[in-house]
Amino acid sequence: MRIAPIRNEKEYQNALEQLEMIFDAKKGTEQGDELEILSILIDRYENDNFPIGMPDPIEAIKFRMEQMGMKQKDLAEVVGFKSRVSEILNKKRKLTLDMIRKLHTTLHIPTEVLVQEY
């Protein structure tokens, strides 16, 4: 087992190929240890080179509502009037701090997503 940092695209592709070959390795074995370390190195390379930005707050709310099977009237119970929900989802009204707290608690959306400008 030769483990080294991943510094470029070629090393990244080689690491992915190696990971695929040992993917079913048993935990606690030499190959299992290699799999774990290689996974960490690949994850770090991907986070550094292919960062994924945070989603738009309103799109995150809509997505979470869909996941939870919620309708606008259900969200009105969280943020107030049904008309207010419509304004928020159409980006005509900004989220208040109180709304952000309630949405975070109810929909389990991270506050750092909800506080972003949109």
Side-chain angles (χ1 to χ4, degrees):
M1 160 173 59
R2 184 188 165 279
I3 300 289
I6 301 171
R7 295 184 184 97
N8 57 50
E9 183 67 26
K10 184 175 187 224
E11 291 174 350
Y12 172 66
Q13 291 302 325
N14 289 340
L16 289 175
E17 288 173 15
Q18 179 63 20
L19 182 77
E20 192 173 319
M21 289 189 319
I22 62 172
F23 192 75
D24 294 323
K26 301 245 186 285
K27 196 172 189 169
T29 65
E30 187 175 333
Q31 277 193 330
D33 292 345
E34 182 180 2
L35 175 68
E36 187 174 347
I37 293 167
L38 204 50
S39 298
I40 293 167
L41 291 172
I42 290 170
D43 184 56
R44 180 171 177 198
Y45 182 84
E46 289 175 344
N47 288 337
D48 290 347
N49 293 282
F50 313 114
I52 298 173
M54 284 196 272
D56 175 83
I58 304 306
E59 293 306 314
I61 293 168
K62 289 177 181 177
F63 179 73
R64 192 68 178 124
M65 285 174 63
E66 184 180 318
Q67 282 184 320
M68 297 174 75
M70 292 178 74
K71 304 282 184 216
Q72 284 192 18
K73 65 180 172 99
D74 301 320
L75 196 58
E77 296 174 15
V78 178
V79 297
F81 304 105
K82 192 174 177 184
S83 60
R84 184 173 296 155
V85 172
S86 180
E87 290 173 342
I88 290 167
L89 295 180
N90 289 310
K91 298 183 179 184
K92 293 180 180 175
R93 178 185 287 265
K94 297 286 185 185
L95 294 170
T96 65
L97 184 57
D98 188 49
M99 288 178 200
I100 289 170
R101 287 180 179 139
K102 289 177 181 176
L103 289 165
H104 169 70
T105 302
T106 307
L107 302 180
H108 307 289
I109 299 172
T111 53
E112 53 271 7
V113 170
L114 296 169
V115 297
Q116 295 179 97
E117 285 291 325
Y118 58 91

